[in-house]
Amino acid sequence: MGGRTGCGGARARCLAAATRSIFVALLSTLTLPVPACQSPPEHVTYSFPQGFLWGASVAGFQVDPGCPTLDASSCVDTRSDWYVWVTDPDLVADPATYLSGEPLSHGPGHWELFEHDYDLAKTELGLNAFRLSIEWSRIFPEPTLGVDDPEALAELASAENLAHYRAELTALRDRGVTPLVTLHHYTLPVWLHDAAGCHWDLDHCSPRGWLDREVIVHEIAKYAGFVARELGDLVDLWATQNEPFAVVLAGYLRPGPDRTNPPGVSLAFEEVKAVSLAMIEAHARMVDAVRFFDVVDADGDGRASQVGLVFALTPAYPADPGSPLDQAAAENVAYLYNWAFLDAVVAGSLDASLLGTQTPREDLADRMDFLGINYYAVVRVEGEPSAVFPALSPLSTFNPFTLTVDYETPSGIYDALLLASLRYPGLPLYITENGTPDVDSPDSQRDYMATHLAWVSRAWRDGADVRGYFYWSLLDNYEWNHGMSMRFGLYSVDPLDPQKTRVPRPAAQDYARIIRAGRIPDDLAPRLGP
Ligand code: FCB
């Protein structure tokens, strides 16, 4: 493990300097200036804290299908709304869904090949952590409505799929790899969400997924508690949900070519607020359930569970740093994209109507043991003198047509970590996803990884309590509406190869070297700008 550089161990001083500069930045340009203690020395060593988790991330819906020999009936989960979303011919034919129509059989078949994948993760990459999701509809293919008793729930659960997850988690533990389990990564059981019906007629569909708030909050908490009871002896690190704002944005506000989520309807303002509230409440109740039912300390650190949330924390910058209108818009967008949700789950301060004013909700507070940050992009916004969507929020003072999502700002990962540290002091942070689909030119994935990791290291040096980094993704997988056409893997997988052979990309070797060294070796170290 290389020594820390730059701040002479004075984390508090650095954080204070960074805090000052960020507040100045928020008030002025929102472009974060570098505090004095950040200036990189001539030969900077990008190092990471002791006990850092080095991982990769996957999600069940994306990696499981496509098994080389297993029967599709056990390999593919037909009971999730996403299965319907990507296979229903009418939905695929509708240009407004932006669905690729790619068969799920083109996926990488992790459901069958997980032992092999975990061998690669351990022996080739040297990972000590791995993030995967459990699929609700695989645990409970049939409704659990009205059944609350854990023993009765056990009767309803798929014993075969539970055994499968036990085998996967045991395979990780046997290799000395710490699992981080996401309980909800976009997918809902079909018995809770009619994705097709809600796409065509949102007002009259049934069941309505996140819009049936009381039902879904109750059911998802039951599911979370049940999984914690059954698998808590193997898992201590839990994430309740993945990117709730993406469910809202790509599901109810602005589905587009980048991402659609079922039901994929546009500008449904009331639903945006209703779904956000349901997901906030669901998070809190899931945390309660996991804390109650996971009573086994799997890794012997004295805690049976740590439960957090995975969020795509997106820094927002003014398109013109000198324009007060753009600055105000950037602050408002940062609030609508990030803080309205996170303040509720971290601090129990709820702004259900997106008015910019929050009220305390005791039953939501103290329900975050860590925050998982997915970092892909920053946004740049131009301001408008008044709200563009008053029915959504008086804070919607941005030009929606010129809002740009910028995937090429590596320093955004630093800003995301520092902004979270400043807003939620003491909350441990993980980078739970970070990766690029630019995998065809040999060096771009390598540069992407090294540069982002360098910024993570610098964020740690400047006071962010970042405890791990999970690359997205271990292998090429089914990228939601894009199918297999967008590839993010450290290992490539040819969708048409019947064996689904995993072939390492050059970035895999770099990652292994970084992990072995516990720092970015000098020949891989990028020179970061200020
Ligand atoms: C994130 C999702 C993840 C994957 C990456 C590329 O938004 O959480 O499942 O699709 O994007």
Side-chain angles (χ1 to χ4, degrees), residues 59 62 185-186 242-243 259 374 376 433 472 479-480 488:
Q62 298 180 269
H185 198 122
Y186 294 162
N242 178 72
E243 295 190 1
R259 175 69 61 75
N374 289 356
Y376 292 97
E433 286 182 28
W472 184 274
E479 176 55 27
W480 307 110
F488 285 80

Side-chain angles (χ1 to χ4, degrees), residues 247-272:
V247 172
V248 171
L249 185 68
Y252 299 88
L253 191 57
R254 195 191 56 86
D258 267 16
R259 175 69 61 75
T260 56
N261 251 9
V265 295
S266 294
L267 305 182
F269 298 131
E270 283 315 308
E271 285 78 1
V272 164

Side-chain angles (χ1 to χ4, degrees), residues 6 37 42 51 94 156 288 343-344 381 401 419 446 452 500:
C37 63
E42 209 33 39
D94 179 4
L156 280 178
D288 292 344
D343 288 354
V381 287
F401 301 107
L419 287 166
R446 302 180 62 204
H452 283 77
K500 302 294 165 69

Side-chain angles (χ1 to χ4, degrees), residues 133-171:
S133 77
I134 287 183
E135 295 294 292
W136 184 356
S137 42
R138 285 204 196 253
I139 300 287
F140 291 117
E142 300 304 327
T144 54
L145 303 159
V147 181
D148 288 351
D149 171 56
E151 301 308 329
L153 278 176
E155 297 284 307
L156 280 178
S158 160
E160 194 188 329
N161 290 342
L162 255 182
H164 174 96
Y165 285 123
R166 173 158 289 281
E168 270 211 44
L169 293 164
T170 305

Side-chain angles (χ1 to χ4, degrees), residues 163-437:
H164 174 96
Y165 285 123
R166 173 158 289 281
E168 270 211 44
L169 293 164
T170 305
L172 287 170
R173 285 272 175 218
D174 287 350
R175 288 162 177 78
V177 176
T178 298
L180 191 173
V181 169
T182 314
L183 288 161
H184 169 71
H185 198 122
Y186 294 162
T187 54
L188 294 176
V190 286
W191 50 267
L192 274 175
H193 191 205
D194 176 4
C198 292
H199 177 70
W200 302 120
D201 185 356
L202 189 59
D203 289 338
H204 300 105
C205 62
S206 173
R208 303 178 81 214
W210 286 107
L211 290 169
D212 293 329
R213 176 154 59 97
E214 279 184 23
V215 176
I216 199 165
V217 170
H218 187 69
E219 295 305 313
I220 203 168
K222 251 160 53 179
Y223 150 70
F226 180 77
V227 171
R229 184 183 102 132
E230 295 295 322
L231 300 171
D233 59 321
L234 294 165
V235 183
D236 283 354
L237 270 180
W238 302 94
T240 55
Q241 303 167 14
N242 178 72
E243 295 190 1
F245 186 67
V247 172
V248 171
L249 185 68
Y252 299 88
L253 191 57
R254 195 191 56 86
D258 267 16
R259 175 69 61 75
T260 56
N261 251 9
V265 295
S266 294
L267 305 182
F269 298 131
E270 283 315 308
E271 285 78 1
V272 164
K273 288 180 256 193
V275 170
S276 301
L277 178 62
M279 297 189 86
I280 288 166
E281 294 194 340
H283 166 79
R285 300 292 75 81
M286 292 170 85
V287 172
D288 292 344
V290 173
R291 285 181 180 163
F292 184 80
F293 280 109
D294 179 0
V295 289
V296 185
D297 177 5
D299 58 16
D301 71 350
R303 294 184 70 176
S305 70
Q306 290 177 64
V307 203
L309 175 86
V310 167
F311 199 89
L313 207 166
T314 310
Y317 306 115
D320 170 3
S323 150
L325 216 53
D326 293 5
Q327 289 164 22
E331 260 188 74
N332 287 342
V333 167
Y335 181 81
L336 293 173
Y337 273 50
N338 306 305
W339 312 128
F341 197 98
L342 286 174
D343 288 354
V345 291
V346 177
S349 300
L350 183 65
D351 177 9
S353 308
L354 300 180
L355 296 175
T357 47
Q358 304 181 337
T359 29
R361 272 268 305 261
E362 192 82 357
D363 66 323
L364 302 178
D366 296 326
R367 274 142 178 115
M368 282 282 275
D369 296 329
F370 67 86
L371 173 63
I373 296 175
N374 289 356
Y375 178 75
Y376 292 97
V378 300
V379 291
R380 296 180 202 283
V381 287
E382 283 181 344
E384 293 292 327
S386 56
V388 178
F389 305 114
L392 176 69
S393 166
L395 303 179
S396 59
T397 60
F398 56 89
N399 181 334
F401 301 107
T402 58
L403 183 149
T404 52
V405 182
D406 169 1
Y407 293 93
E408 287 172 18
T409 299
S411 59
I413 201 168
Y414 173 95
D415 291 355
L417 284 164
L418 266 285
L419 287 166
S421 306
L422 296 168
R423 200 163 179 105
Y424 310 120
L427 187 66
L429 306 174
Y430 294 91
I431 296 295
T432 35
E433 286 182 28
N434 174 233
T436 175

